[in-house]
Amino acid sequence: MTDAPSGQNVKLQSADDKDFEVSVEVASMSVTIKNMLEDLSPDSDTPIPLPNVSGKILDKVIEYCKYHYEHPTPSSDDKKDAGEKRTDDIIPVSYTHLRAHETP
């Protein structure tokens, strides 16, 4: 995890010199950016350069990270805690149909 306090923003700079300011939490959804944040001092106002990413693509990456930050995937433990097993993906098949395909 980064040393930056929660709620702090970070600047990301695209290859075409467009600056994007996002929260550290959202930016950390990208492993690459998270690793770069760990190398910076927490008080740094210097934008993180992303020379291989255009502004248009970086905008989409940030949108993706925001979505997944706000809508985290439930862990497998959460799914188990739901209590009920999912059966809506089971195709109904008759017993006679199964018996017809058995090899003698």
Side-chain angles (χ1 to χ4, degrees):
M1 194 76 186
T2 64
D3 293 334
S6 180
Q8 186 176 355
N9 288 340
V10 64
K11 290 180 184 174
L12 306 174
Q13 187 175 56
S14 65
D16 46 355
D17 293 326
K18 292 183 182 176
D19 289 340
F20 297 84
E21 190 166 337
V22 296
S23 71
V24 170
E25 293 86 359
V26 170
S28 294
M29 295 298 291
S30 163
V31 176
T32 301
I33 295 172
K34 181 180 177 180
N35 291 337
M36 295 172 131
L37 286 170
E38 290 172 351
D39 294 338
L40 292 176
S41 69
D43 301 333
S44 179
D45 283 337
T46 307
I48 297 174
L50 301 166
N52 296 329
V53 183
S54 70
K56 186 176 180 179
I57 298 297
L58 185 54
D59 186 46
K60 292 293 181 186
V61 168
I62 292 169
E63 183 180 328
Y64 177 88
C65 289
K66 279 182 185 177
Y67 178 84
H68 287 284
Y69 177 73
E70 293 168 357
H71 304 92
T73 304
S75 68
S76 60
D77 291 339
D78 293 341
K79 291 177 187 174
K80 289 178 186 174
D81 292 341
E84 292 184 32
K85 292 186 178 181
R86 221 180 117 200
T87 59
D88 61 342
D89 60 343
I90 298 174
I91 301 169
V93 178
S94 70
Y95 180 72
T96 22
H97 183 282
L98 291 174
R99 298 283 297 165
H101 293 291
E102 274 187 0
T103 55

